[in-house]
Each structure stands twice: as structure tokens, then as C-alpha cells.
Amino acid sequence: MISGDYAVSVERLTKRFGRFTAVDNVSFDIVRGEIFGLLGANGAGKTTTIRMLAGLLKPSSGRGTVAGFDINRDYEKIKRRIGYMSQKFSLYEDLTVYENIRFFGGVYGLTGKQIRERFEEIASHIGLSGLMERRTDGLPPGIRQRLALANAILHRPLVLFLDEPTSGVDPIMRRQFWDIINSIAADGMAVLVTTHYMDEAEYCNNLMVMRDGKKVATGSPGELKKQFHVSSIEEVFVSTEMGKR
Ligand code: ATP
């Protein structure tokens, strides 16, 4: 049953590339304000799942909604209501921090005034104050990550997709990044995040573990640990991977 209360709701989502099935009959829901973590080894189907939800890739079968719109039909409407931060933090290297902000704000259809006001609102919170004039290519990874996040939430999306947002960033910056994500979710945005860092999985409200395109486990971090009789999400993950052998 697909309800308007869900920020994301998918049923039997499937993506085939030729004869290969990258995402296989996956169903899950995410409510507003929830941080939902997608875990899985390389090639498990996480990015493909996000791309279908973000209106970038057409599902082979299955149905669902994102921000209340049909993923099979309304992808243009979905694109305007979501934020997407890809693994590679797509930034314009030869532009300054603020020029990047202005560019992405323009892509989302915001006026110059709206972009300025929104940037003022989020800059100190995200830790970008005083960096407006800095060229992007000289910034450390943790700051680039924050700029990519700022770009993704400028237009106040209802759902935020973060695809390995913390890879290559030091532990302190990663921790601070999660504090920011928590406050974004507390404001009501739904967040779907993929990560390879199992300690980060503990910060999520709910998790789904994927293997070979399939959902192999789901629940809150506490529920999963109970279900697998282990004391860490790392062990849950290892158990699901061992199931393969
Ligand atoms: P990673 O952590 O490495 O990003 P992932 O879980 O995000 O992994 P996906 O990128 O979704 O995995 O890829 C799932 C599978 O689908 C992989 O085997 C990949 O090679 C395959 N795949 C992805 N995109 C395509 C495509 N356009 N054509 C063919 N195969 C693809």
C-alpha cells in the first residue's frame, strides 16, 4: 500500500541491465525525518537503487513513490523535490564556494535573492562561513563534502539521497558530517544514505542490507543486532555476506 505519509515507498523495485539483474524485487519505506541506511558490498545495487528513486534511471519493474510522486511516471517532478549527493561530490573545481552555490541554486530554479538567503541560513550550520570566496579545488575533502551537501539541500528537498557521502573524509569530519545530517533529518527531511563505514550505520534509524541486488536484512540497528545475535552492525554485515558462501 503506497501512502502519502511516506517520503519513499517502493514495492518490488527491479532493474535489469540486459540479462543481469542489478536490483531484484526490493521493497522498503522511508518516513519523513528518518535516516535510512543502505548497506552492501561493492556492486550490491545501492547506487542503482538510488538512481531509480532519484528519477535518473527507469525501473525495469516494480512501483513506488518518492515525495508522493510516481517513480515510473513523474520523474521530472521528483527531481525537483529531492537532493542528490553522488559519490564524487560533483563540484566545479575552478569556481569559488559561492559560485558553486549560485550555480546549483540556479539549476534548481532559485532566484539570486533566494540563493543568498538560503546560503546564509545554512552556511554557519554546515560550516562554510567565511569560505565563500575560496576556490573549490584548494579545499580539503571535508569542506568539499560540506559544499556538496549545501548544494544538495539549497532548494529544501523533501528527500535527500547521499551516496557514500563520507568516503575519503577523516573521522572527525565524518562525525561532524553526521551531526549535520541528524539535524537536517530532525527538520523533517527524509535521508537515504549509503556507506561502507559500519560505525556510521549505527547513526541511522533503519537499515537495509543488500547483496547481489536483493534485500537480505532490514530493521533498526538494534533490531538487526538482535536478529543476528551479534553486538555490532559490522558483524551483521559479515553474517549477511557469509550467507553467500
Ligand atoms: P558500489 O558500492 O561499488 O557503488 P553499488 O552497491 O552501488 O556498489 P551498483 O553501482 O548499483 O552497486 O551496481 C550494481 C551492479 O550493477 C554492479 O554489478 C554494476 O556493475 C551493475 N551496473 C550498474 N550500472 C550498470 C549499467 N549501466 N550497465 C550494466 N551494469 C550496470
Side-chain angles (χ1 to χ4, degrees), residues 17 20 22-23 40-49 51 87 163-164 196:
F17 295 111
F20 175 73
V23 176
N42 289 340
K46 306 179 298 292
T47 301
T48 306
T49 301
R51 296 188 68 217
Q87 289 176 9
D163 198 357
E164 286 178 36
H196 280 302

Side-chain angles (χ1 to χ4, degrees), residues 159-215:
V159 187
L160 176 62
F161 296 103
L162 303 172
D163 198 357
E164 286 178 36
T166 52
S167 23
V169 172
D170 72 60
I172 304 291
M173 283 292 217
R174 284 209 281 131
R175 185 64 220 239
Q176 290 169 351
F177 187 80
W178 275 93
D179 289 340
I180 299 169
I181 296 303
N182 262 310
S183 62
I184 288 174
D187 281 345
M189 213 180 278
V191 180
L192 188 158
V193 57
T194 72
T195 180
H196 280 302
Y197 299 107
M198 293 301 141
D199 56 323
E200 294 187 347
E202 301 275 358
Y203 304 141
C204 298
N205 303 112
N206 283 302
L207 298 167
M208 178 168 89
V209 187
M210 290 181 76
R211 194 184 70 218
D212 298 336
K214 294 188 177 65
K215 172 164 92 175

Side-chain angles (χ1 to χ4, degrees), residues 85-103:
M85 181 172 157
S86 72
Q87 289 176 9
K88 299 211 163 56
F89 311 163
S90 350
L91 299 169
Y92 286 94
E93 301 290 331
D94 53 345
L95 298 184
T96 65
V97 166
Y98 196 65
E99 285 166 346
N100 262 290
I101 292 282
R102 230 171 28 211
F103 174 81

